[in-house]
Amino acid sequence: MLNIELRRPKQDDTFELWSFFNRVIQDTFHEEGISEMQDQIKNEIESKKQLLQCDFDSNGETHFFWLAIDKTNHKIIGTIEYGPVSDLIINASNGQLKDCVEIGTVFVDVAYQKQGVGTLLWNVMYITLQSKGMKEFCLDSGYSNAQKIWTKKFGKPDYVLEDYWGNGYHHMIWKRRTDEAAIIMKIH
């Protein structure tokens, strides 16, 4: 059984988080079979760094992160974040999701996957959103492996952008209520 601490990021975590983003994003692109897309990897890593800085700059008002820490070695092993909906989601939904919050930056270190870390992060995020009076959220993914996970947990996506990332590479968007999603996401 893992001994995990969930907490908000601190400025002292910055460099470890940057390293974490670099590692998990490179691994994700490798697992997707697209590790040659170095510019996109760099852009994705930089995007996550900027979201983290937005959390720090706004004290969690604009973007809000949770971290999962392995208490045995004090290593960051997972992240989840919410913030304003991306332009991609706004455009794909014809503006219907513009007032939702978007959950993103859902990453679990490969050595800790399939051990309940992601579910724990999701559950703390539901509690966070509900405590702030947020009743709906959306999430999206262009990664086929993540799409399988989200489809298993949330059902069919509400929007599918066919071949968005190339032939056979779709982009999917889900919209869910926080009260319904909490029932779906049970701790293992």
Side-chain angles (χ1 to χ4, degrees), residues 7 34 68 83 88 106 155 158 168:
R7 67 168 173 80
I34 54 174
L88 189 158
V106 184
D158 297 278

Side-chain angles (χ1 to χ4, degrees), residues 149-188:
I149 293 168
W150 303 146
T151 299
K152 183 178 176 184
K153 292 192 182 287
F154 297 116
K156 289 176 51 176
D158 297 278
Y159 303 88
V160 177
L161 306 174
E162 299 280 334
D163 300 323
Y164 186 83
W165 300 105
N167 190 23
Y169 292 95
H170 312 310
H171 196 86
M172 298 180 182
I173 303 167
W174 291 260
K175 176 188 170 194
R176 296 294 180 267
R177 294 185 47 81
T178 56
D179 55 353
E180 294 169 349
I183 294 167
I184 295 169
M185 299 292 292
K186 295 183 175 99
I187 295 178
H188 297 124

Side-chain angles (χ1 to χ4, degrees), residues 63 83-93 97-98 100-102 138-140 171 173:
H63 287 273
V85 176
S86 70
D87 289 340
L88 189 158
I89 291 175
I90 292 170
N91 292 334
S93 70
L97 300 180
K98 68 179 171 48
C100 263
V101 294
E102 177 183 351
C138 62
L139 71 143
D140 70 334
H171 196 86
I173 303 167

Side-chain angles (χ1 to χ4, degrees), residues 23-70:
R23 190 172 62 254
V24 296
I25 291 168
Q26 292 217 30
D27 180 65
T28 299
F29 274 69
H30 174 75
E31 290 299 314
E32 291 288 326
I34 54 174
S35 56
E36 73 282 354
M37 300 176 81
Q38 290 299 307
D39 288 342
Q40 288 85 346
I41 292 171
K42 287 177 188 170
N43 290 341
E44 185 78 2
I45 293 166
E46 189 57 37
S47 165
K48 301 311 177 192
K49 289 179 179 181
Q50 290 173 6
L51 295 177
L52 177 65
Q53 191 59 50
C54 285
D55 183 336
F56 290 143
D57 291 348
S58 72
N59 197 27
E61 291 297 317
T62 305
H63 287 273
F64 186 100
F65 273 81
W66 280 109
L67 308 181
I69 312 292
D70 182 338

